[in-house]
Amino acid sequence: MKAWRLPYSKADRLDLAEVPTPEPAAGEVLIAVRAIGLNSSEMQLIRGDWDGPGVHRPYPLIPGIEAAGEIVAVGDGVPADRIGERVTVHYRWSCGHCSECVSGNENTCLVAASPTAPKFGRTIDGAYAEYARVPAGFAIPIPEGVSFVDAAAMTVSGGTAWHMAMVRGQVRANETVLVTGGSSGVGTMLVQLARLAGCRVAATAGGPEKANRLHELGVDLVLDHRAPGDWTEPLNRLSDGAGVDCVLDIAGAGTWPRFLPAMRQRGRVVVGGYMSGAQASFDLKESTIREITIMGASSWTRNAVREVLSLAAQGAIRPVIGAQLPFERLPDGLAMLRDRTSYGNLVVEVG
Ligand SMILES: [Zn+2]
């Protein structure tokens, strides 16, 4: 099969190689990959941002955490009638029996948190190939009416957004919600979920073109993060003077000093990413005087993926796909993520 491989740590490039097609081991399925979703985290892995002492990856490594396709073979112990099933991969293989897993928090599984735990596209071969093998329980069925491309565009972005907005932030009807990084794959999912929950939605984006596209998605107010100026006044107007109830933050550091003064009493901030940097600097008094709650959101569960796929099958949400590339041009998609020239999700079609 053809595969894009990272030749060594911090290589910051991928090589297209012809490699043996893997065989499914006991408990695994083999998937013929039809579509691959590209994610910023993969670009960081390829660049070597996460490599350091204690991190061991087998090189050459096939990166990629998001793949949708068809099951074409099963290992021992997996029912043969799964062959032919359309599935999307959940990359983080939780153990199922630690205290986090049994309490319904498989996203913070204590076993999967280990740097040596098998993670699809991180510590073992992943999505950037014509075939991928994964444990059967982490191949999630794609409902009818959702294409491979749509599934590959929304497994990571939709799962992340569901966990941030619905599980952690618990946004509710009539609340005012601010999504930072609104034009990204996760951002476009967050604004749709907040709209669906009945919230007034503001979002940040860079430049008028991305702002227009967010308005088309139903965003009530777009704040251009490149432009100077105060966010409190427009956010107050949107919320009838009350302030923002919940910030769903994936932009990170630079936005904190701008949104904190615009929050209402006991507002919530859900931190799900930090595209502009993780070292935020802001006045702590801004959080105490209005009793702000700051909470993290880590990864997502398989259930989150099932929820967003089901909403897509009903037509209630749709993944926003900024570009669709052939397999041979996969590195061009990563360059678009690096240069932040993309809008929404980037998908690579295979075969
Ligand atoms: Zn566990």
Side-chain angles (χ1 to χ4, degrees):
M1 68 170 184
K2 288 201 191 86
W4 284 102
R5 299 193 301 180
L6 177 64
Y8 50 86
S9 173
K10 303 181 196 290
D12 202 14
R13 71 154 211 272
L14 296 172
D15 297 332
L16 185 58
E18 185 68 36
V19 300
T21 301
E23 301 269 336
E28 291 184 341
V29 296
L30 181 69
I31 298 167
V33 178
R34 301 279 186 252
I36 301 163
L38 300 183
N39 298 283
S40 303
S41 63
E42 292 150 21
M43 186 189 65
Q44 291 156 5
L45 179 135
I46 291 163
R47 214 158 52 190
D49 292 1
W50 299 349
D51 290 357
V55 178
H56 299 285
R57 306 185 200 284
Y59 295 103
L61 173 74
I62 302 174
I65 66 169
E66 191 167 28
E70 187 182 323
I71 295 179
V72 291
V74 296
D76 286 348
V78 181
D81 64 5
R82 289 206 67 183
I83 292 173
E85 201 175 286
R86 294 168 359 103
V87 294
T88 186
V89 176
H90 185 69
Y91 83 104
R92 204 168 189 278
W93 301 341
S94 45
C95 74
H97 48 73
C98 73
S99 56
E100 288 297 296
C101 283
V102 297
S103 61
N105 300 298
E106 66 177 16
N107 57 306
T108 46
C109 170
L110 302 175
V111 175
S114 157
T116 55
K119 284 193 199 71
F120 187 66
R122 297 260 170 94
T123 56
I124 59 169
D125 284 341
Y128 294 178
E130 291 178 308
Y131 293 88
R133 63 186 184 97
V134 303
F138 296 95
I140 301 172
I142 301 171
E144 213 171 300
V146 178
S147 68
F148 289 126
V149 166
D150 282 355
M154 67 186 298
T155 300
V156 171
S157 65
T160 304
W162 181 272
H163 189 69
M164 285 180 69
M166 311 313 289
V167 179
R168 300 294 285 148
Q170 299 186 9
V171 299
R172 294 179 291 271
N174 300 317
E175 286 193 323
T176 300
V177 169
L178 169 66
V179 175
T180 70
S183 62
S184 65
V186 178
T188 51
M189 274 289 161
L190 284 170
V191 300
Q192 291 184 77
L193 291 176
R195 288 281 301 167
L196 199 60
C199 304
R200 283 179 294 272
V201 182
T204 69
E209 192 189 327
K210 288 178 176 176
N212 284 339
R213 298 176 82 161
L214 282 174
H215 281 304
E216 285 165 18
L217 264 189
V219 172
D220 301 295
L221 168 70
V222 181
L223 300 163
D224 188 342
H225 66 76
R226 292 180 193 162
D230 169 62
W231 290 357
T232 305
E233 198 270 331
L235 286 167
N236 270 338
R237 238 184 302 133
L238 178 68
S239 58
D240 294 329
V244 175
D245 295 279
C246 186
V247 177
L248 301 169
D249 180 39
I250 51 173
T255 55
W256 282 66
R258 301 182 85 176
F259 70 63
L260 274 178
M263 297 195 70
R264 73 174 301 163
Q265 285 76 11
R266 284 162 297 284
R268 295 104 64 203
V269 184
V270 182
V271 186
Y274 8 80
M275 295 188 298
S276 72
Q279 306 294 321
S281 175
F282 58 88
D283 189 340
L284 281 172
K285 287 197 287 294
E286 295 285 0
S287 68
T288 57
I289 50 177
R290 284 187 301 280
E291 302 195 325
I292 304 298
T293 299
I294 297 170
M295 59 186 114
S298 176
S299 190
W300 59 94
T301 63
R302 281 170 285 182
N303 190 56
V305 176
R306 291 185 199 105
E307 294 280 6
V308 288
L309 287 174
S310 165
L311 287 174
Q314 296 161 36
I317 59 172
R318 61 180 174 86
V320 173
I321 298 170
Q324 230 166 293
L325 300 168
F327 188 64
E328 290 68 29
R329 287 191 54 207
L330 186 148
D332 295 345
L334 292 171
M336 290 168 74
L337 282 176
R338 181 196 60 213
D339 301 338
R340 293 176 77 168
T341 53
S342 59
Y343 175 78
N345 298 276
L346 293 177
V347 180
V348 168
E349 284 184 278
V350 186

